[in-house]
Amino acid sequence: MSIAINRDKCIGCGRCTQACPGSLIGMSQGKAVMRYPEECWGCTACLKECPVHAVRLFLGADIGGGGTLLHTERQGEILRWIFERPDGTVQEIPIDTRESNKY
Amino acid sequence: METVRLNTDILVIGGGTAGCWAAITIAEQSGLDVLICEKAGIKRSGCLAAGVNALNAYITEGKTPQDYADYCEKDAAGIVRGDLLLTMSERLNSVTEKLERLGLVILKDEQGRYAARGDRNIKINGENIKPLIAQEVRRHSQISVLEHVDITDLETSSGRASGAYGFGIEDGTFYAISAKAVIIATGGAAGLYRPNNPGFSKHKMWYPPFNTGAGYAMGILHGAEMTTFEMRFIALRCKDTIAPTGTLAQGAGAKQINALGEVYEQKYGLTTSERVYGTVMENLAGRGPCYLRTKGISREKAQSLEKAYLNMAPSQTLKWLESGVPVEEQDVEIEGTEPYIVGGHTASGFWVDTARMTTIPGLFAAGDVSGGAPQKYVTGALAEGEIAGESAVRYAEKLIPEPLPEESVQAHINETEGFLSGRKSLYTAPQLEEAMQTVMDKYAGGIGASYRFTEAQLDIADRRIAQLFELSGQLSADSPRELLRIYELRERLVVCRSVIAHLRARQETRWHCFAENLDWPERNDRDWRKYVNSRLENGKIRVIFRELISGGETYEHSDKQG
Ligand SMILES: Cc1cc2nc3c(=O)[nH]c(=O)nc-3n(C[C@H](O)[C@H](O)[C@H](O)COP(=O)(O)OP(=O)(O)OC[C@H]3O[C@@H](n4cnc5c(N)ncnc54)[C@H](O)[C@@H]3O)c2cc1C
Ligand code: SF4
Ligand code: SF4
């Protein structure tokens, strides 16, 4: 369980570092860096904070990860969860944040 | 080391669920200043970071607060504080309504009533619950928030809690904070035991790995009385992702089945601990792995589940997609987690009076750090935050501030500087953490021991943990962020010793798995319907037994012991 940060996309705003409940992300040369890849809880706070969608979550291979990367994009009331598979296919699950869980 | 001194009326340690709510309560009900010190950022810190699935504690139509308290008492086999459960339950619905006013989406039926999930839960979209609470905190000018500051110790030398010490995780600034009253709301303790996935995904655990039991540890070291640490919490969770199972079991009606496809839950009982126990027993009998039966649900239901998990435990949805098999064509494998100490699920924590004051005058506790009231969940943590906030106001209003003793400030600076001095240390904090988790796993009833232990094993565990604590005093950090690791390790080690002492003290098996004592395998109602409490005195843990306190009573601290 961890995150991958795309250095090229990162604009160094620091929001992910501010949000992580474990203070796992640091800044180096104006870019965010994951300081403790093995200590990620997988809460997705950093994904949701990033204004340029530079942060991706993945499952460790030890818990069934197969290389899929997850990130979120917000459009008004819709939170889009976007899964990019290693073969290049993309799946999206949009969630209307005004809707309650059914279960 | 740069030192910053701050004064406030009420200091709140931990800006999580209960801490934020306590601060809001104080701002609404008094003119006092509040300072929240939070080791992360309040927008997404603590248990609520990823969101929650439902509000698990709500008094549904036709039920009373006493019904909720009775349910909790039964689930915990009687070892609860009736006064705490009742006063908490009385506020569950009002805090829920307030959450809705803050913007939380709650499902309603045609009559405009909250739609219930079973007897006690209501359905929500809890993804943004923490940002909503944090936003409300920011609205109050009386509340100041100090983020990314780890609190390492309390000040109690005057006989009451008069402040705390901490350091900035990024910049290393040392903080000495004086206050008229202190509310501790640091949550429970995870990472004491070897986790389910000890390798790369070691922090993919259920309880936040960043809640390290700091509040318990500070209280223990200052001689506060603690209760029921032997009632560990072990959750039944989705394998690998350790995501909650309530959505599948209570929400979608999925049954627990073994590898043969037999529904086994009836065989062992339906309390929280019995559900875990049944799963352990089925595995030991060679009928594992166990699952929640989701095969055959409709596609529509499957899609709802994918969304529900994204709103609370996104890794489970990711895991489903990674498996390449649609949700409705597979069962979800389940397993027990490593044991946690969590006063919001079981009854471990600070021993408090009905007003939520600990045995240290001026120190109040709320949420997972506070004992005696299991099954608090989100709304119970808020209710306790409210009660603790009100009590702290009454306490602080009468007091004049008292400066921190200079020698104590200096001693705390010296301790912190010691760890940062660049001295050579043979071991590192992660190494000692691994050692601690291995010891707890093997000798104090971890996953590897099927949660079972003997007194002889506990004796070994106690010696080893004491030795690790000694070693931790020599550790060295090259940055404030690394210093955090040292403090987190030391907090966990302090909590471990109390857990071991409590497990040893209760000579029965009242809760399977939570405290599975092989030397005393039976439940013994004649001798053990009482609380096991403890206090650190002159470096030794003294166990104290106290008589049960029921619902209608008000409990005040006194030296009388049961
Ligand atoms: C994954 C998960 C899912 C859950 N799902 C549900 C659900 O669906 N429904 C439900 O009703 N309940 C649910 N719960 C339970 C509920 O969320 C908790 O019981 C409740 O939020 C606990 O509140 P708290 O204030 O005690 O702890 P937290 O909210 O965790 O707050 C503790 C805070 O203290 C901070 N802190 C810790 N140590 C220090 C220190 N030394 N210095 C400064 N700050 C510190 C932490 O960073 C954190 O912000 C869930 C819990 C978890 C973990
Ligand atoms: S997923 Fe959560 S724990 Fe992991 S890096 Fe992001 S914010 Fe931190
Ligand atoms: S939030 Fe995104 S852009 Fe901002 S620092 Fe983090 S990764 Fe970079």
Side-chain angles (χ1 to χ4, degrees):
Chain A
M1 182 95 268
S2 200
I3 56 158
I5 301 170
N6 184 331
R7 257 187 102 76
D8 296 334
K9 273 195 181 173
C10 171
I11 55 166
C13 70
R15 284 169 64 172
C16 57
T17 65
Q18 194 60 28
C20 175
S23 308
L24 304 178
I25 311 171
M27 293 296 277
S28 159
Q29 294 163 338
K31 304 272 183 179
V33 280
M34 180 53 164
R35 292 184 285 199
Y36 301 101
E38 297 174 18
E39 296 188 14
C40 175
W41 186 32
C43 71
T44 66
C46 52
L47 273 60
K48 292 168 188 162
E49 283 299 298
C50 182
V52 295
H53 319 303
V55 191
R56 301 277 187 280
L57 183 84
F58 65 93
L59 291 182
D62 57 340
I63 57 169
T68 298
L69 296 169
L70 167 65
H71 78 280
T72 59
E73 294 187 17
R74 213 185 161 94
Q75 270 168 358
E77 304 289 352
I78 307 296
L79 187 61
R80 299 167 59 207
W81 296 81
I82 299 160
F83 301 81
E84 297 163 281
R85 294 208 179 81
D87 64 7
T89 57
V90 176
Q91 184 172 345
E92 181 179 324
I93 302 181
I95 295 189
D96 187 331
T97 55
R98 292 159 300 190
E99 267 175 24
S100 147
N101 293 330
K102 292 214 175 59
Y103 300 107
Chain B
M1 199 159 212
E2 194 201 328
T3 302
V4 171
R5 289 161 197 266
L6 299 168
N7 298 303
T8 184
D9 291 321
I10 301 176
L11 170 65
V12 177
I13 306 175
T17 319
C20 285
W21 210 257
I24 294 167
T25 304
I26 295 162
E28 282 175 353
Q29 301 193 7
S30 76
L32 300 178
D33 288 332
V34 194
L35 174 64
I36 298 177
C37 282
E38 165 56 50
K39 72 193 269 191
I42 63 166
K43 189 174 179 188
R44 289 278 180 184
S45 66
C47 290
L48 305 182
V52 288
N53 170 246
L55 295 181
N56 290 346
Y58 183 79
I59 313 298
T60 54
E61 198 144 299
K63 300 274 176 191
T64 64
Q66 189 60 53
D67 291 334
Y68 189 80
D70 291 345
Y71 156 74
C72 299
E73 182 180 338
K74 189 155 174 267
D75 198 73
I79 309 302
V80 295
R81 283 273 300 274
D83 60 326
L84 300 178
L85 283 174
L86 187 60
T87 48
M88 170 193 95
S89 302
E90 284 164 350
R91 294 176 188 240
L92 292 174
N93 290 19
S94 60
V95 299
T96 302
E97 282 152 28
K98 190 158 161 187
L99 276 176
E100 192 183 23
R101 284 200 296 279
L102 299 186
L104 186 75
V105 172
I106 306 183
L107 190 66
K108 296 215 171 120
D109 62 17
E110 287 98 48
Q111 284 88 45
R113 291 171 311 199
Y114 296 147
R117 180 181 97 175
D119 276 350
R120 295 171 292 273
N121 298 6
I122 55 174
K123 296 180 189 176
I124 61 170
N125 183 330
E127 189 279 320
N128 64 345
I129 186 167
K130 191 71 202 294
L132 290 173
I133 295 172
Q135 190 180 310
E136 179 63 11
V137 167
R138 306 277 186 200
R139 239 176 31 81
H140 293 278
S141 57
Q142 271 162 271
I143 309 177
S144 313
V145 185
L146 203 53
E147 296 178 303
H148 304 282
V149 169
D150 186 58
I151 298 296
T152 57
D153 203 8
L154 300 167
E155 179 56 58
T156 65
S157 57
S158 64
R160 66 173 185 87
S162 62
Y165 304 98
F167 67 96
I169 292 168
E170 300 302 335
D171 62 8
T173 304
F174 182 86
Y175 290 91
I177 304 156
S178 78
K180 295 177 186 167
V182 179
I183 297 175
I184 192 121
T186 46
L192 307 174
Y193 285 81
R194 196 164 198 265
N196 290 88
N197 311 301
F200 179 74
S201 300
K202 64 180 180 181
H203 274 184
K204 190 60 240 160
M205 45 179 68
W206 168 71
Y207 202 68
F210 321 118
N211 283 1
T212 51
Y216 300 139
M218 289 186 253
I220 290 167
L221 295 177
H222 283 264
E225 190 165 325
M226 294 286 159
T227 190
T228 325
F229 268 38
E230 74 280 13
M231 190 181 178
R232 305 175 301 171
F233 181 61
I234 298 160
L236 192 63
R237 291 292 179 259
C238 303
K239 181 155 192 319
D240 296 331
T241 61
I242 320 297
T245 48
T247 313
L248 299 168
Q250 286 105 54
K255 293 270 176 263
Q256 278 173 237
I257 55 170
N258 61 22
L260 308 174
E262 301 160 343
V263 177
Y264 64 83
E265 44 193 40
Q266 306 301 339
K267 220 157 102 187
Y268 302 94
L270 294 173
T271 65
T272 312
S273 62
E274 286 162 348
R275 282 177 178 274
V276 183
Y277 178 64
T279 307
V280 170
M281 294 307 280
E282 287 298 305
N283 275 302
L284 288 175
R287 292 188 291 271
C290 297
Y291 300 90
L292 278 166
R293 190 164 58 201
T294 43
K295 215 179 263 175
I297 61 171
S298 66
R299 177 85 278 258
E300 193 201 348
K301 207 169 192 177
Q303 277 171 339
S304 297
L305 287 175
E306 285 172 355
K307 289 189 177 178
Y309 274 95
L310 287 175
N311 283 334
M312 110 185 111
S315 48
Q316 181 58 29
T317 306
L318 182 52
K319 168 99 186 176
W320 269 320
L321 295 190
E322 286 280 44
S323 74
V325 181
V327 177
E328 65 273 25
E329 288 175 26
Q330 57 174 314
D331 294 323
V332 176
E333 192 178 334
I334 49 177
E335 62 183 340
T337 64
E338 74 273 23
Y340 309 107
I341 299 298
V342 187
H345 277 67
T346 57
S348 333
F350 276 93
W351 180 247
V352 293
D353 64 13
T354 311
R356 271 55 174 188
M357 189 163 83
T358 68
T359 53
I360 298 174
L363 181 70
F364 299 82
D368 287 353
V369 82
S370 194
Q375 318 238 18
K376 291 193 243 269
Y377 302 111
V378 178
T379 42
L382 299 178
E384 284 201 338
E386 214 170 83
I387 299 170
E390 289 170 6
S391 304
V393 167
R394 281 198 299 277
Y395 183 89
E397 271 173 346
K398 299 181 296 205
L399 282 175
I400 42 162
E402 174 183 311
L404 296 171
E406 207 41 51
E407 45 320 335
S408 183
V409 176
Q410 202 49 54
H412 284 88
I413 294 175
N414 292 348
E415 180 191 82
T416 309
E417 282 181 340
F419 289 122
L420 287 166
S421 63
R423 65 189 170 204
K424 283 259 174 303
S425 169
L426 185 57
Y427 301 107
T428 64
Q431 284 167 9
L432 297 190
E433 181 184 292
E434 192 185 359
M436 167 189 72
Q437 292 179 342
T438 304
V439 168
M440 293 302 284
D441 186 62
K442 282 207 175 101
Y443 297 114
I447 299 171
S450 298
Y451 307 120
R452 301 160 174 186
F453 54 84
T454 62
E455 289 177 356
Q457 287 174 323
L458 292 177
D459 290 342
I460 298 173
D462 190 50
R463 278 201 303 279
R464 296 284 301 278
I465 297 294
Q467 185 189 34
L468 290 171
F469 188 77
E470 280 294 309
L471 288 174
S472 74
Q474 298 309 312
L475 287 170
S476 180
D478 57 11
S479 69
R481 180 60 184 77
E482 287 292 303
L483 180 63
L484 178 65
R485 292 182 128 169
I486 297 179
Y487 276 107
E488 291 181 335
L489 168 74
R490 286 169 65 81
E491 288 151 13
R492 287 181 166 127
L493 287 165
V494 170
V495 177
C496 284
R497 285 204 81 185
S498 288
V499 173
I500 293 165
H502 276 252
L503 289 173
R504 208 176 191 303
R506 185 174 283 282
Q507 296 180 330
E508 64 160 351
T509 293
R510 177 160 294 265
W511 316 280
H512 281 304
C513 296
F514 291 6
E516 190 88 44
N517 189 331
L518 293 180
D519 292 319
W520 306 91
E522 306 294 333
R523 172 169 161 173
N524 174 351
D525 275 337
R526 200 196 56 193
D527 301 323
W528 288 99
R529 279 187 54 81
K530 58 185 168 202
Y531 307 110
V532 173
N533 288 5
S534 66
R535 245 179 228 248
L536 191 71
E537 286 175 2
N538 306 317
K540 288 226 159 56
I541 298 174
R542 180 164 75 91
V543 171
I544 302 162
F545 299 112
R546 289 189 185 273
E547 297 302 325
L548 296 184
I549 298 156
S550 60
E553 295 174 50
T554 297
Y555 177 78
E556 284 178 42
H557 293 306
S558 73
D559 288 334
K560 196 171 123 297
Q561 278 159 31

